[in-house]
Every structure is written in structure tokens, then in C-alpha cells.
Amino acid sequence: QVQPAESGGGLVQAGESLTLSCKVPGKLLAFNAAGWYRQPPGGQRELVATISAGRRTNYTESVKGRFTISKDNDKDTVYLQMNTLKPDDTAVYYCTAGSFLGSVYYRISLWGQGTQVTVSS
């Protein structure tokens, strides 16, 4: 099974930007979707952004207009550009390879270690 590897997290101030990267081995991205999840301290993991094999993107309401998901199939890498960060964005961020059944995203890869994003006010 494929295990992604996330990187790029850190400590930033509110209003700043970060770009997360995720290596997804196995040449999955060309033919599959990908998604970024996050899990805040003491909270549940939520899906925040997805990109289809054909590069159609979707976002949870709280990040629309601020986050951008993209992928580079040649580099087996998924990105999450995060702008105008807020303290509520503080979480561990995970990426996955996945698939869509209708409009529902399903994870097909293992969970990676995640990358911590902390936004101070």
C-alpha cells in the first residue's frame, strides 16, 4: 500500500501563507484523485480539499478562496497553497491519494505522518 509523505508545515502568524507538499509514490496521481485532510488539536480529521484526476478541485467552505490544491503528476506531488492563514487553520495536515464515487471522495492510500501547521494570532 502507498504511504504519502507530507512536508512544509511550520509556525506562522495569522495572515501569512504556507505551501504544503506531499509525495505520493507509485505513479498514482496521473490516474487518481488526491485530497488534503486536517486534524486540529482535540478535533476530528476533516477533508479540506480534493483534486480529481482531471484536476477538478473542491474545497470545504472554511478554506474556499484561501487554499489552492494542485498536483504535478510528473513529480508525484500534491500541493496545498494556504493563504491568509487563521488560528483556526492550526492542525496536522495529511494528504492522500483517492478516488471519487460520484461526488464522494474515498481515500485509497495509507495515512502519512502528516505535517503540523500552527497559526498564531
Side-chain angles (χ1 to χ4, degrees):
Q1 287 226 7
V2 171
Q3 185 172 39
E6 304 90 346
S7 63
L11 172 63
V12 297
Q13 293 190 336
E16 294 184 338
S17 299
L18 271 178
T19 299
L20 307 183
S21 299
C22 176
K23 188 82 168 181
V24 182
K27 295 297 180 187
L28 292 181
L29 293 182
F31 305 105
N32 291 281
W36 282 95
Y37 292 78
R38 68 183 179 186
Q39 186 167 16
Q44 293 189 340
R45 198 170 296 186
E46 67 167 339
L47 181 62
V48 296
T50 60
I51 184 166
S52 71
R55 301 180 189 278
R56 183 174 60 195
T57 59
N58 275 289
Y59 303 90
T60 193
E61 195 63 36
S62 62
V63 308
K64 280 182 181 177
R66 300 188 298 121
F67 289 13
T68 303
I69 187 172
S70 61
K71 62 173 181 165
D72 186 329
N73 293 341
D74 292 336
K75 295 182 179 179
D76 296 334
T77 302
V78 187
Y79 304 95
L80 188 67
Q81 171 70 42
M82 306 185 294
N83 298 326
T84 319
L85 282 161
K86 305 175 181 180
D88 285 349
D89 296 317
T90 295
V92 179
Y93 285 73
Y94 303 87
C95 85
T96 61
S99 183
F100 280 98
L101 182 61
S103 62
V104 179
Y105 177 81
Y106 289 93
R107 176 176 60 90
I108 62 174
S109 65
L110 297 174
W111 293 109
Q113 295 299 308
T115 187
Q116 176 71 48
V117 173
T118 302
V119 185
S120 64
S121 57

